[in-house]
Amino acid sequence: MTDDRRIGDGDPSQPSDPLVAPRASLSTADAELARELEAAAHRAWPPLRVHDHHGWTLRASAGASRRGNSVWAHGDVPDVPAAIAAVADFYATEGLRPTFQLTPVSLPAGLGAALATAGYDDSGPTDVCVTPLRGVTAAAGPAGPATTGAATAPVPDEGWLRVAAQVLATFGAQRAGTLAVLDAVRLPAVYVTVAVDGVPAAVGRGVVDGRWLGIYSMATLPAARGQGAARRVLAALGQWAAARGATHAYLQVEEVSTVARRLYAELGFRPVYRYSYRRAPVVPVPGPSGRSARSTVEDTP
């Protein structure tokens, strides 16, 4: 039976940003929940290519998203330095910068320190948050006078993609790889579009996986913000997921997304854990004249 006290409304006693989650030292229950959510996110955004190295899953997706091009360290490895070297070799062959997704439940326990020793940096943190689905289904609230109802579709149409591309890097320069990832999803999925003045202005993607609605690709054009469009997208996602048996929702929100964080806190989301991406140092390689040049390994946003 689900304990909604753990997957429940935000606590008003929390600091000004109530969605800041722990990087370490999770409770036993939240550690179990974090592992469940990481597995769900892996299914909701499946990598195009996978290589298993002992307890680590090395993911590559033509540069589309950081998650799809990073190591999921969900199991132990017998020799951490040797495993980090194997990761570097794998991503070199993929033309990508070696990257780890580091969570409080990453294994082995000393991985963060080992990556720091190897010179891996730490890019902006992201918080994973959850709530009972009822808070999402009731999200709509009052809409702006020019905001219309939400349209749903099983695949993204050009209007949806146009909005997403203007807000999210994964649908801009990384569009080809991203569409290949979405085509590989084997879970029920929906794409929601809300129009303002008759023009698509806000979008979101939902995936149902057992009790969970995974909320992804939320994007609102700057000119349409503050008119209730994002709330309508969320409500449509929630209603679609409830009809398919979901009872709870999860999402990932970057620390810098201050407006989105306020909205999610209002809807009762609570933080479970925080993760970040650790990227290998850029290694200079000799240029054609013998002078040092930057590595040709691409960075992944």
Side-chain angles (χ1 to χ4, degrees):
M1 182 173 68
T2 302
D3 184 354
D4 283 359
R5 292 171 297 178
R6 289 195 295 113
I7 309 178
D9 295 340
D11 182 349
S13 68
Q14 292 297 308
S16 56
D17 184 350
L19 296 190
V20 175
R23 282 182 181 259
S25 304
L26 300 183
S27 68
T28 300
D30 274 355
E32 179 183 351
L33 181 57
R35 286 187 284 269
E36 179 183 356
L37 292 171
E38 279 301 301
H42 183 73
R43 292 187 292 268
W45 192 269
L48 299 180
R49 177 162 144 67
V50 169
H51 174 71
D52 291 323
H53 184 82
H54 298 287
W56 292 353
T57 299
L58 284 54
R59 305 173 289 198
S61 301
S65 85
R66 292 181 294 180
R67 177 178 293 274
N69 297 276
S70 62
V71 177
W72 179 22
H74 55 104
D76 278 316
V77 294
D79 183 330
V80 174
I84 292 175
V87 165
D89 290 342
F90 171 80
Y91 284 108
T93 63
E94 295 290 333
L96 298 166
R97 188 170 172 183
T99 302
F100 283 75
Q101 184 199 4
L102 194 66
T103 77
V105 293
S106 292
L107 294 172
L111 178 57
L115 291 174
T117 299
Y120 279 63
D121 67 11
D122 188 355
S123 59
T126 297
D127 295 295
V128 180
C129 306
V130 297
T131 191
L133 193 60
R134 60 180 178 271
V136 180
T137 57
T147 304
T148 60
T152 61
V155 295
D157 62 18
E158 281 304 314
W160 193 101
L161 290 169
R162 194 177 307 114
V163 174
Q166 293 181 63
V167 181
L168 305 171
T170 46
F171 291 92
Q174 303 163 24
R175 173 169 167 163
T178 296
L179 292 181
V181 169
L182 297 182
D183 189 55
V185 175
R186 294 296 175 260
L187 298 169
V190 70
Y191 296 81
V192 173
T193 304
V194 167
V196 174
D197 290 325
V199 178
V203 299
R205 177 175 81 99
V207 179
V208 165
D209 190 348
R211 65 172 171 151
W212 292 106
L213 162 66
I215 297 172
Y216 290 89
S217 306
M218 290 290 297
T220 303
L221 297 181
R225 290 171 188 167
Q227 300 185 52
R231 287 178 175 271
R232 283 183 167 262
V233 170
L234 287 166
L237 290 173
Q239 291 157 13
W240 171 86
R244 285 154 182 80
T247 56
H248 294 79
Y250 73 87
L251 53 77
Q252 302 140 4
V253 58
E254 292 182 297
E255 184 180 55
V256 297
S257 300
T258 54
V259 174
R261 293 172 77 88
R262 285 197 296 270
L263 172 59
Y264 299 146
E266 285 178 21
L267 298 181
F269 280 90
R270 76 148 183 109
V272 180
Y273 63 102
R274 170 169 283 203
Y275 68 83
S276 62
Y277 290 94
R278 302 292 180 93
R279 304 173 304 170
V282 176
V283 179
V285 296
S289 64
R291 292 191 301 271
S292 177
R294 286 174 61 91
S295 168
T296 57
V297 175
E298 293 286 341
D299 191 8
T300 304

